[in-house]
Amino acid sequence: MDKKIKVLIAKPGLDGHDRGAKVIARGLKEAGMEVVYTGLRQTPEQIVRSAVQEDVDVIGLSILSGAHTHLFPEIMKRLEESDREDIKVIAGGIIPEGDHKELKELGIEAVFQPGTPISEIVEFIEKEVK
Amino acid sequence: MTNDIEKLYAEIQKGNENIIAQAISMVEDGTKNGLKLMKKIYKNVEPAYMVGISGPPGSGKSTLTQRIVQLWRKQNKKVGIIAIDPTSHFSGGALLGDRVRMNEISTDPNVFIRSMATRGSLGGLNSSIYDTVLIFSLAGFDYIIIETVGVGQNEIDIVKLADTTVFVTVPEAGDEIQAYKAGLMEVGDIFVVNKSDRPNSQQMVLTIEQLVSFKDEDKEWKPPVISTNALKNKGISDIKDWITKHHDYLLDNKLLKENRKQVIKAQMINLMEKTLNEKYIKPILEDEKFPEHIEQIYDKKKDPYSTVEELMPFD
Ligand SMILES: Nc1nc2c(ncn2[C@@H]2O[C@H](COP(=O)(O)OP(=O)(O)OP(=O)(O)O)[C@@H](O)[C@H]2O)c(=O)[nH]1
Ligand SMILES: [Mg+2]
């Protein structure tokens, strides 16, 4: 059996829509990845524990509520405390351009704007995980 | 770390979550070290009690799993969950969505949830499911729940692994039940009609009770049919109690041992098929001469029977 890329698609924050996250999840599945989806309103603790137990290669954070500036640092901190800072983190949703630099400094590998073609995200993940 | 088998084994035994998770991946990916680890585990570990939760898509398996786990947690039992979803034949990918209904237990330190794709095993079940059961058992879990979407043969094979199988259906599943009754009635030890808040649920309970009464009259175990509402937490303790009763029944009748030997047999068949595929069939398929055989058969210069006899001379 060969190795499959495993991705956690997680929605931190309180916003109540996950259509975008589900589209990404389905797209990654169709690209041959194993995608764990955990649903709405995930706390940083839930996200990191799921990532650890599932042993994912990548966490994709989808956020619309603008709460990324305090949730993302918490997620990165918990990943480090769990000794899993090797898991790559990417983000998407509504994140103002002005915040991208700060998120990259936090260790988030990429921030995708709404409307990014799935193929671009797939390509990025495949390159990162290799 | 992952090269030192003794260390891996010890860390799993201590309950180190990173290592448990990575050991499962090693087994799923079929790595050499995963294999070495399993060789040691098989000779040292007694499997924990396995409960299968199966049934049609969306019947409430994950929601019920969460509720049952919450009751076991009150008794201080540690629970491992293996939530299985099908691999897409087209892409090889999978969408593993069972965690969505398990958020209330997802941060409990004594619950470990692992989602798993069926991956393309040749037929029969993916051997890493039982390997994961053993890894969880080494980590000290008391119960292991295996959730599968159950309709096809493949799922029935997964269900056969479990010591107790809970088959979950819903009031509106009448036609499905009729269609699958032969296979499903064979593997259910406990039947649940979930979503009792929906119309006709009592009707469904009666239908299943009737189907169940026809099965194996000589068997001592009469599968109960339980009505539940997973959202309102109704009927869940009945499921839990019946699992315990079924466990006692298996123990009293020395059937637990039998089931586990069956599992070992299935695991053996699985590994033999995998070996056959990898060591014999794959090299033949990948051989550059293989397309020639097809051409010759197409041109009626050869037949497939003689060709396979020639390619796989097994007598
Ligand atoms: N009305 C009602 N809805 C329920 C009940 N139990 C679960 N549900 C809902 O049914 C839907 C499916 O529940 P799940 O627990 O995900 O079902 P499942 O069988 O695990 O689904 P798959 O794993 O996708 O096959 C969810 O929207 C649940 O909230 C119930 O007793 N009554
Ligand atoms: Mg489910």
Side-chain angles (χ1 to χ4, degrees), chain B residues 58 60-63 85 97-98 101-102 147 149:
Chain B
K61 300 177 292 294
S62 302
T63 315
D85 282 301
D98 296 311
R101 308 287 164 206
M102 300 191 195
E147 177 190 333
V149 183

Coordinates of all heavy atoms in Angstrom, one line a residue, chain B residues 58 60-63 85 97-98 101-102 147 149, ligand 2:
Chain B
G58 N -25.8 8.1 7.0 CA -26.6 9.1 7.6 C -27.6 8.5 8.7 O -28.5 9.3 9.1
G60 N -27.1 7.8 11.7 CA -26.8 8.3 13.0 C -25.7 7.5 13.7 O -25.6 7.6 15.0
K61 N -24.9 6.8 13.0 CA -23.9 5.9 13.6 C -22.9 6.7 14.5 O -22.6 6.4 15.6 CB -23.1 5.2 12.5 CG -24.0 4.2 11.7 CD -23.2 3.5 10.6 CE -22.7 4.5 9.5 NZ -23.8 5.1 8.7
S62 N -22.4 7.9 13.9 CA -21.4 8.7 14.6 C -22.0 9.3 15.8 O -21.4 9.4 16.9 CB -20.8 9.7 13.7 OG -20.2 9.1 12.6
T63 N -23.2 9.8 15.7 CA -23.9 10.5 16.8 C -24.1 9.5 17.9 O -23.9 9.8 19.1 CB -25.3 11.1 16.4 OG1 -25.1 11.7 15.1 CG2 -25.8 12.0 17.4
D85 N -14.4 5.3 6.4 CA -15.2 5.7 5.3 C -14.6 5.2 4.0 O -13.4 4.9 3.9 CB -15.3 7.3 5.2 CG -16.3 7.8 6.2 OD1 -17.4 7.5 6.1 OD2 -15.8 8.6 7.1
G97 N -15.6 12.1 7.4 CA -16.4 13.1 8.1 C -17.1 12.7 9.4 O -17.9 13.5 9.9
D98 N -16.7 11.6 9.9 CA -17.4 11.2 11.1 C -17.1 12.0 12.4 O -18.0 12.1 13.3 CB -17.0 9.7 11.4 CG -17.5 8.8 10.3 OD1 -18.7 8.9 9.9 OD2 -16.7 8.0 9.8
R101 N -19.7 14.6 14.1 CA -20.7 14.3 15.1 C -20.1 13.8 16.4 O -20.7 13.2 17.2 CB -21.6 13.2 14.6 CG -22.3 13.5 13.3 CD -23.3 14.6 13.4 NE -23.6 15.1 12.0 CZ -24.1 16.3 11.8 NH1 -24.3 17.2 12.7 NH2 -24.3 16.7 10.5
M102 N -18.8 14.0 16.6 CA -18.1 13.5 17.8 C -17.4 14.6 18.5 O -16.5 14.4 19.3 CB -17.2 12.4 17.4 CG -17.8 11.2 16.8 SD -16.7 9.8 16.7 CE -17.5 8.8 15.4
E147 N -16.6 2.1 13.4 CA -17.8 2.6 12.7 C -17.6 2.4 11.2 O -16.6 2.8 10.6 CB -18.1 4.1 13.0 CG -19.3 4.5 12.1 CD -19.5 6.1 12.1 OE1 -19.2 6.7 13.1 OE2 -20.1 6.5 11.1
V149 N -19.9 2.4 7.3 CA -21.1 2.5 6.5 C -21.4 1.1 6.0 O -20.6 0.5 5.3 CB -21.0 3.5 5.3 CG1 -22.3 3.6 4.6 CG2 -20.5 4.8 5.8
Ligands
MG2 MG -20.6 8.6 10.6

